[in-house]
Amino acid sequence: MNAHIEMNPEEVLRVKLEVLRREHRDLDEAIAALAQSGRADPLTLKRLKKQKLSLKDQIARLDDMLTPDIIA
């Protein structure tokens, strides 16, 4: 029995946001572990940090989409 559950666009964005935050957190932990090992390839660290920054930008965009503008 496959129950068909539909999510509204805001719910989809919230799920996507949580996935991106989890990926960002995982990358942060991986970068820290590599840096602490002392055997990390500088190029690999640079690529991971760039990927982490890209995730941060995506998170900020989605967060802005989900946060209503408040005009004071």
Side-chain angles (χ1 to χ4, degrees), residues 23-36:
E23 286 179 26
H24 185 270
R25 195 170 31 250
D26 291 346
L27 262 178
D28 192 38
E29 292 171 4
I31 291 168
L34 279 173
Q36 285 180 348

Side-chain angles (χ1 to χ4, degrees), residues 16-28 31 47-63:
K16 174 86 172 159
L17 184 60
E18 185 54 39
V19 168
L20 291 175
R21 284 185 173 145
R22 190 172 307 126
E23 286 179 26
H24 185 270
R25 195 170 31 250
D26 291 346
L27 262 178
D28 192 38
I31 291 168
R47 286 180 179 159
L48 290 174
K49 288 179 181 180
K50 192 171 185 178
Q51 186 178 356
K52 183 180 160 193
L53 185 59
S54 174
L55 285 172
K56 183 179 176 182
D57 291 342
Q58 291 176 49
I59 289 167
R61 274 193 300 270
L62 284 178
D63 214 10

